[in-house]
Amino acid sequence: MTMSGDDGGPVDAGSTANDASAHDAGGDAARPADGGNVPPPHARPIPRLTGSSEVCKLINGQSNSDPTANQTQTRANLLGTDLGIPVDHNGTLYFFFGDSQGYKGIWQPGQSLPDAVGFASVPSATVATSPNVLCTDLSFLTMPPSQSVGPMQDPTIVADFAAGWMTVPSGQQLSQYIHNPAGQGAYPQLPGDFEVPSGAFSAGGSIYLFYTTVDSPSDVVMKASYLAQWAAPSTTASPGYQILYPVDELFDANGPLYGDFVNVAAEVSGAYVYLFGTGDYRKSPIHLARKLLSDLGTPGGFELYDAVGGKWGTTRGAPIVDVPGFGETSVRYFASIDRWMLLAEEQTAQHNQIVARLADAPEGPWSDDIVVYDMADPAFRGLYCCNTDACVGQQIIHCNDAGFYATYLLPQVQLQADGSFVVTHTMSTWDPYNVVLMQATFATSADGG
C-alpha cells in the first residue's frame, strides 16, 4: 500500500460458498435464508468472546524482508500484501490478496501495485480441521520461472507472483473499470493501488469477485464496484478475470444501489448470493442486498433489504447495522453452529476495533458489537505492538504509526468439547505490511460451554 487510513492503516476488503447451496468438502453448508417479513428476535443467547490469539504471521516475520515458513519472498518474489479473502472452491482454499509489493526487481512502492492470489497447498478439509497448516502451506500463483524477473535478480527466487488481470465485455473499455492501473498505468489490464477485491464467492464452477474502483491515480478513495468472474480457477495458471458488469458507484448520486455497495462481502445461501455492502469508506453503515445465482451473468436484478420494514424491494432500505464506521467486511454462515457471523473493523471517532456480530439470518436482527480486538486496549497493545524496529514473537504492528484492518473469516469453525467454537480469520497490518492469521473463541452458554 502507498496510502494510509486515519489510524495509519491502508484502505482496502469476503466470504464464500462452493456452489448454489453448500461449501465444499469440510466446509459449512449455507442454510437458505428467510426472504420474508421482519425476522424474529434472537431465540438463542448471543455467544460471548472468551479469548483471542495469534496463530502466525503469513507473509513476513520481524520485518517486511524477514521471511516466514511460507517463504513468500523467494517462492513468489512477494514482499508484502494485505486482505486475504478466503474462497473454498472444489476442495482448494484460495486467498485473494490486495495491493502486493514485490521483493526484488518487480512491483515496488509508488508503482501502483497489482493484486495476488494465494492458495493452501493442502486440501481445504485439512485447513478446516487444522488452520495452522497455513503457517507453512500457503502458496501463491506464480509466473513461469522463464518469464519471471526475480530469478534473474537473485537465484534464490523461484518465480514472480502472478497478478490478477481483467478482460472487459465486448465493446467496452478497461478504463471504464480500472482507473489506477498497475505500474503507474503501464499495465492497463491490472487493477492497481486500492482497486482490490472486497468480496468473493464460489458458484457454478467459477469464482466471482467484487472489485473496487477509485477515482484516479491522484485520488485513490474507493468510489465504485464491479463483478468479475474467474471461470476456470486453477493453482497452476495465472488468474484471469472476466468483468461482467458494474455493481454500484459513488461518483455521483445515481449509483444503481444508492452508493451503499462499494465494498461488498458476499455469502451464498440457497438460490441467492447475499451482499453486505458499505459505501463511503470506513464511514458507512452496512446494507444488505441479494441476487439470484441463476442471474449472475446479467446486469442488475439486485434486491435491497429494508431492516426497518423487514421487506425486500428495489428502493433503498435501512441498514442492517447502523453504525457509520465500516469499510471492508466479512460475513459467513456457519452451519455447524447455525449462525451468521459478521467480522469487521469498526472505526469511529471514539475507537478503532475489530468487532463481531451474530444473527440467525442475513436479514438479522444482528447482535450488538462483540469487541474482539481494540487498538486502545492495553492488553492488546502489550501483546501485539512492536517495541522496536523488529516485531518479535507475537508482535505484529508498530501501533504508534499504524493499525489493523481487513479481517476475513475462513469458511469453517472448529467446535470444542465444551460447546464453544473457534473462528479463524486473516487480519491485515500496515507496518509491517503483512497478513496475520488470528483466532477467536466464543462460548455459547453462560457457563462457558
Side-chain angles (χ1 to χ4, degrees), residues 18-168:
N18 185 53
D19 56 32
S21 62
H23 291 290
D24 208 309
D28 282 328
R31 180 186 63 179
D34 178 11
N37 297 321
V38 179
H42 298 291
R44 296 171 290 168
I46 300 300
R48 60 185 179 85
L49 180 74
T50 60
S52 58
S53 61
E54 175 185 338
V55 180
C56 65
K57 305 168 190 178
L58 293 175
I59 308 301
N60 49 67
Q62 296 188 21
S63 63
N64 283 348
S65 58
D66 179 38
T68 68
N70 286 318
Q71 298 286 335
T72 63
Q73 286 84 355
T74 50
R75 291 171 60 202
N77 201 9
L78 178 71
L79 184 68
T81 189
D82 66 355
L83 309 185
I85 302 168
V87 178
D88 187 348
H89 180 80
N90 291 343
T92 297
L93 190 62
Y94 290 89
F95 291 85
F96 294 89
F97 292 92
D99 302 337
S100 300
Q101 184 180 348
Y103 175 48
K104 291 185 178 180
I106 62 168
W107 305 121
Q108 298 303 298
Q111 292 184 335
S112 189
L113 303 177
D115 308 319
V117 179
F119 62 94
S121 55
V122 296
S124 56
T126 302
V127 181
T129 58
S130 302
N132 62 308
V133 299
L134 293 171
C135 302
T136 56
D137 288 286
L138 177 66
S139 299
F140 279 79
L141 299 186
T142 58
M143 301 289 291
S146 61
Q147 298 176 21
S148 298
V149 173
M152 295 185 291
Q153 300 273 326
D154 183 337
T156 66
I157 297 174
V158 177
D160 299 343
F161 72 86
W165 51 277
M166 298 288 177
T167 302
V168 293

Side-chain angles (χ1 to χ4, degrees), residues 218-265:
S218 60
D219 182 0
V220 292
V221 176
M222 300 170 186
K223 286 291 186 68
S225 59
Y226 59 89
L227 182 65
Q229 178 184 15
W230 190 12
S234 169
T235 60
T236 59
S238 295
Y241 311 136
Q242 173 66 52
I243 295 175
L244 299 180
Y245 45 77
V247 174
D248 201 10
E249 55 95 355
L250 273 174
F251 295 120
D252 53 35
N254 300 315
L257 303 182
Y258 302 93
D260 295 325
F261 292 83
V262 173
N263 272 274
V264 178

Side-chain angles (χ1 to χ4, degrees), residues 13 28 49 77 102 169 176 211 226 280 301 321 360 371-372 395 404 411:
D28 282 328
L49 180 74
N77 201 9
Q176 294 174 241
Y211 249 81
Y226 59 89
D280 196 8
V321 177
D360 294 330
V371 178
V372 184
Q395 297 172 356
F404 49 46

Side-chain angles (χ1 to χ4, degrees), residues 270-292:
Y272 292 93
V273 58
Y274 286 81
L275 284 61
F276 300 81
T278 63
D280 196 8
Y281 188 75
R282 288 185 180 167
K283 301 176 183 177
S284 293
I286 301 173
H287 285 80
L288 177 65
R290 69 182 183 183
K291 182 168 183 171
L292 285 166

Side-chain angles (χ1 to χ4, degrees), residues 15 32 80 114-115 118 172 197 218-219 240 291 293 297-298 300 316 318 321 339 351 357 425 437:
S15 183
D115 308 319
Q172 299 187 21
S218 60
D219 182 0
K291 182 168 183 171
L293 292 171
T298 305
R316 189 181 200 179
V321 177
R339 300 272 191 171
H351 60 245
R357 290 178 180 241
H425 64 88
L437 196 66

